[in-house]
Amino acid sequence: MKEQVRAAFRKVGARVPALLLPGAGVDYETFAVNACDQFSAEPRYWDEVERLVGDKPSAFRMILPEARLPQTRDKVEAIHETMSRYLKDGVLREMGEGLVFLRRETTGGIRKGLVIALDLEEYDYTPGSGSLIRATEKTVTERLPARIEIRRGAELELPHVMVLLDDRKDLLMTTLEKMTGRLTKLYDFPLMMGGGQLTGFHVTREEDLLTVAEILETLKKESDAGFLYAMGDGNHSVAAAKAFWEEQKTALTPEERENHPARFVLVELVNLYDEGLTFHPIHRLLMNVRKEETLRELQLDPAAPPPLQELQPKLDRFLAEHPEAELEYIHGAEECRTLGEREGSLAIVFEKFDRDTLFRDVKEHGVLCRKSFSMGEARDKRYYLEARRITPHY
């Protein structure tokens, strides 16, 4: 990659990544699987994924669904071994440096995205930080060690991370859409388990890459919020990548730090105002509780719950006082209601989430409480597909 291109992306906290994709003969439909934090209360979903995958090469063998936690050393080692084997056996092939422009069919329409690497030196999840890349919700540091453990010793990363751009005029995706006539189509296939169709185009020409960097620079300058990238999905994965990078860079020279692959994290950029991107509140499911007593203690009407930013501190206090109780975060309203009908369970369902104030709220208030919103239904989440080396490769 020419230094002019590197410099242009460096100004916007990004890099053009060297990507890997499934090699010849690998079935894309069984390789790509949903984000690991989805269907966490429905292990049968992941049982069906495992059945569909069978013995075929799959990203399923390189992740750990949260429905199957806790992790063990054997599971982590199996993930690392699979990554090494897939690289050695050609299950994953080198695609060279480039971005990927995506069209994704979802329940809300066609969502567009751009696979790119972001610079972890520009990311800070601390509430009120002035970084270029910011968390939108509270980062629960207790959730990081398990993710760091998987990244530590891994040769690859596969992202389910989606990062938001405040691009009300849709400059970036409209420009990329106009390029597709001259771009190489990398894939076009249906995602398993009702995930919709996914199409990817390789952006590799120097002039096209510079155009992308120029648009990101424009959005950076025009940002009223003072930052360019807001975490949508996968913030804890990025926080873990940041922690891992902080570990790694202590042993590196300044020159080595500039280009070390662990300094960057692979993400999908999405326009906050994309017509195919729907925003939903994330609902709460209390388990191992006495429903009526809990409602009285929380002074809660489940048919009209207070705003989440007001309710979550009450839930946190309740959980601290009732260690037998558990809290699950549920993405689907009907799923949450159904689960809430179980004995000892209480569903708290919210009506909507307003995207228009997201960047402003992060600027003014730091971060929202954890799991405040979700982008799309559970099946609309980013599926694991593109991979990138995070250890030096010579």
Side-chain angles (χ1 to χ4, degrees):
M1 189 63 62
K2 291 186 177 180
E3 180 54 34
Q4 181 185 8
V5 175
R6 288 189 184 274
F9 279 92
R10 194 177 301 121
K11 289 166 62 177
V12 292
R15 170 159 292 202
V16 179
L19 296 173
L20 299 104
L21 279 174
V26 177
D27 184 349
Y28 272 61
E29 189 172 351
T30 49
F31 184 89
V33 299
N34 206 342
C36 67
D37 58 351
Q38 299 306 299
F39 300 99
S40 59
E42 295 185 75
R44 284 181 295 180
Y45 174 92
W46 292 101
D47 292 341
E48 179 63 11
V49 169
E50 186 167 26
R51 187 192 69 79
L52 290 171
V53 167
D55 295 329
K56 295 179 181 178
S58 178
F60 178 72
R61 305 298 178 193
M62 294 185 283
I63 67 165
L64 181 59
E66 292 190 0
R68 295 187 169 185
L69 291 175
Q71 73 182 25
T72 64
R73 167 51 51 185
D74 287 346
K75 290 180 180 178
V76 173
E77 290 177 352
I79 288 171
H80 293 166
E81 189 278 331
T82 299
M83 290 178 177
S84 299
R85 178 160 45 84
Y86 282 3
L87 286 168
K88 180 180 178 181
D89 296 349
V91 170
L92 292 168
R93 58 185 169 126
E94 305 275 359
M95 302 303 299
E97 292 179 310
L99 310 177
V100 182
F101 172 55
L102 304 174
R103 292 196 198 111
R104 168 74 183 278
E105 178 187 299
T106 71
T107 54
I110 302 298
R111 185 180 74 218
K112 297 171 184 176
L114 182 68
V115 178
I116 192 171
L118 295 185
D119 187 349
L120 290 165
E121 289 289 327
E122 300 285 354
Y123 166 76
D124 184 354
Y125 61 75
T126 306
S129 82
S131 59
L132 191 65
I133 310 165
R134 300 190 197 175
T136 55
E137 297 178 340
K138 181 179 179 181
T139 303
V140 184
T141 55
E142 293 82 1
R143 296 179 60 193
L144 300 184
R147 290 170 167 80
I148 297 170
E149 186 64 21
I150 290 178
R151 198 171 183 90
R152 190 185 291 126
E155 292 186 63
L156 302 173
E157 66 169 358
L158 292 88
H160 74 271
V161 179
M162 294 174 64
V163 173
L164 298 168
L165 290 173
D166 189 354
D167 187 4
R168 194 177 291 268
K169 297 177 183 178
D170 201 26
L171 295 175
L172 181 59
M173 300 304 168
T174 297
T175 300
L176 286 163
E177 186 68 52
K178 291 177 181 177
M179 292 180 186
T180 55
R182 62 176 180 267
L183 301 179
T184 299
K185 183 184 289 188
L186 293 171
Y187 50 76
D188 188 0
F189 69 100
L191 294 164
M192 69 162 68
M193 302 288 287
Q197 194 79 9
L198 179 63
T199 309
F201 299 87
H202 212 187
V203 186
T204 57
R205 297 200 327 169
E206 182 178 346
E207 54 266 46
D208 293 338
L209 293 170
L210 288 173
T211 296
V212 169
E214 289 166 5
I215 293 173
L216 291 174
E217 177 71 11
T218 297
L219 295 176
K220 177 183 175 182
K221 291 176 179 177
E222 293 180 350
S223 172
D224 293 331
F227 62 100
L228 180 57
Y229 309 106
M231 300 305 304
D233 285 339
N235 178 61
H236 285 87
S237 293
V238 178
K242 171 76 169 182
F244 176 70
W245 166 237
E246 293 296 326
E247 290 179 359
Q248 295 296 301
K249 74 179 187 181
T250 58
L252 302 175
T253 66
E255 293 76 17
E256 289 171 331
R257 292 179 187 180
E258 283 297 311
N259 297 304
H260 195 285
R263 173 173 172 163
F264 303 90
V265 62
L266 202 59
V267 307
E268 178 184 340
L269 296 182
V270 183
N271 183 7
L272 174 67
Y273 300 100
D274 191 302
E275 293 180 356
L277 180 63
T278 56
F279 277 76
H280 305 282
I282 298 180
H283 313 291
R284 269 52 178 168
L285 179 70
L286 283 168
M287 300 180 294
N288 299 330
V289 297
R290 293 184 174 91
K291 186 174 295 187
E292 295 304 322
E293 292 180 14
T294 301
L295 290 174
R296 285 195 297 271
E297 185 170 344
L298 292 171
Q299 297 182 323
L300 174 66
D301 177 2
L308 177 58
Q309 308 309 310
E310 174 186 330
L311 177 62
Q312 186 63 49
K314 293 183 179 180
L315 292 176
D316 292 340
R317 288 193 294 271
F318 176 86
L319 292 167
E321 295 167 1
H322 299 273
E324 76 283 358
E326 297 180 38
L327 180 64
E328 279 284 353
Y329 303 96
I330 308 298
H331 290 264
E334 289 308 312
E335 176 193 355
C336 190
R337 290 190 182 98
T338 299
L339 292 170
E341 293 174 359
R342 296 176 178 175
E343 182 70 24
S345 296
L346 171 62
I348 306 172
V349 177
F350 301 93
E351 289 301 317
K352 65 178 182 178
F353 179 87
D354 185 6
R355 76 177 83 190
D356 289 346
T357 64
L358 179 60
F359 273 70
R360 185 187 69 200
D361 287 346
V362 171
K363 175 186 178 182
E364 294 179 357
H365 305 297
V367 295
L368 308 178
C369 70
R370 63 188 180 278
K371 298 286 188 178
S372 286
F373 67 92
S374 173
M375 301 187 303
E377 301 291 347
R379 285 179 173 81
D380 297 334
K381 298 300 181 179
R382 175 171 172 81
Y383 277 50
Y384 301 98
L385 182 57
E386 285 87 4
R388 186 182 72 92
R389 293 179 184 268
I390 57 172
T391 56
H393 176 57
Y394 304 104

